[in-house]
Amino acid sequence: MKITNKQWIYTERPSGQIGEEHYKLNVEELNSDNLNEGEVLVKALYLSVDPYMRIQQSTHNTWEKPHSLGIVQGGGMVGEVIASRSTKLKNGDFVNCYKGWQQFAIVQENEARLLNPEVAPISTALGVLGMPARVAYFGLLEAGKLKKEDTVVVSGAAGAVGSTVVQIAKIKGCKVIGIAGTQEKLDFLTDELGADAVINYKEHRSLEEMTAALNNAAPNGIDVYYDNVGGVITDAVFNLINHKARILICGQISQYNHGLETPELGPRFLHKMLYTRATIQGILSRDYNDRMEEMLAEMGPWLKEGKLKYKETILDGFDNLPKALAGMFEGVNTGKMIVKV
Ligand SMILES: NC(=O)c1ccc[n+]([C@@H]2O[C@H](COP(=O)([O-])OP(=O)(O)OC[C@H]3O[C@@H](n4cnc5c(N)ncnc54)[C@H](OP(=O)(O)O)[C@@H]3O)[C@@H](O)[C@H]2O)c1
């Protein structure tokens, strides 16, 4: 069976804001009769849009080398097997794989994770039961050594990672302060996710203002800071960390578009680490790839019991992928940003 496959090719390195001009559409022909043993053909249903895509476009080495131009934009895919030469995956199975922004992909059976649509809607494999959840869960509980009654501050709190962190911390009996950029997101954090206090960072742009807002929300100081944003918010947190505080650097989205090549210099509060014997640690979802089952064993039941909620911002249409990525940097999403193919 011959198939026309549309792909978004990454063609130009952005120097600032990422946009559609950095991609071009490509069309190729695939033939399912050419599958090798152990391979399946997957039809994409949902494609993931993630801030890390912008990091990979930097000219600097990160956790890997800068992505070269002329390749399909990498990313998570949830799709349906429509042809199979695998003994493990059959037609009609839903899978999660990392095949990027394209409508179809040939996938090795061991590169695909079989999904059970009865456990949760399959799109959750990209969000609340997927990569962002993994770094939320292991980052907070293991690297963050979360303890009951800790005061936890989460930046980027209404996003895919942040909204999961907020809820895990609440489930574990902590006081949680969420920081996000719109009133609607703040309401989501308090009314639906149970955050104890919220701060709109757009109303507290200076270090002094953010420090005052945090001090007001956390008068007894901060035990755990789960950082998705960086910049002024993070500078302000350093002012208020408690003895043996744990600072987790999950992301620095405020720095991606303009700061990856020339990072913004901020105030220096590292002396606070000395007095408090606090720790600061970078956390990466991929370091916990092989512990997915462990996470799902706890998070799956939470989701089923309604203890763990999730939101997805789903844009319709394959052609909207670059627009969706640019939109994340303007905060258009609440919860996981996904494109429905
Ligand atoms: N370490 C890892 O393995 C790992 C894995 C996944 C994600 N991450 C990181 O975690 C962070 C969140 O990722 P996500 O996938 O959950 O994305 P997300 O939070 O769902 O979406 C990004 C959000 O960031 C906020 N934002 C954008 N530009 C900002 C700026 N200049 N200053 C402050 N906030 C800004 C926007 O919300 P507002 O409306 O609130 O501004 C936007 O909705 C990112 O930094 C990402 O790189 C790390």
Side-chain angles (χ1 to χ4, degrees), residues 51 159-161 181 185 201 228-229 250-251 254 256 283-285 328 331 333:
V161 175
K185 291 185 185 187
Y201 71 90
N228 289 310
V229 170
C250 173
S254 72
Y256 296 170
I283 48 174
L284 215 45
S285 189
M328 290 194 94
N333 63 305

Side-chain angles (χ1 to χ4, degrees), residues 49-52 55 131-132 135 156 158-162 179-182 185 201-202 228-229 233 249-254 256 283-286 328-333 335-337:
V49 178
D50 298 271
Y52 71 77
I55 298 181
M131 179 281 284
V135 76
V161 175
I179 304 175
T182 65
K185 291 185 185 187
Y201 71 90
K202 290 183 181 162
N228 289 310
V229 170
I233 300 172
I249 306 298
C250 173
Q252 296 279 290
I253 197 166
S254 72
Y256 296 170
I283 48 174
L284 215 45
S285 189
R286 60 178 56 200
M328 290 194 94
F329 291 89
E330 273 136 33
V332 300
N333 63 305
K336 180 70 187 120
M337 177 64 106

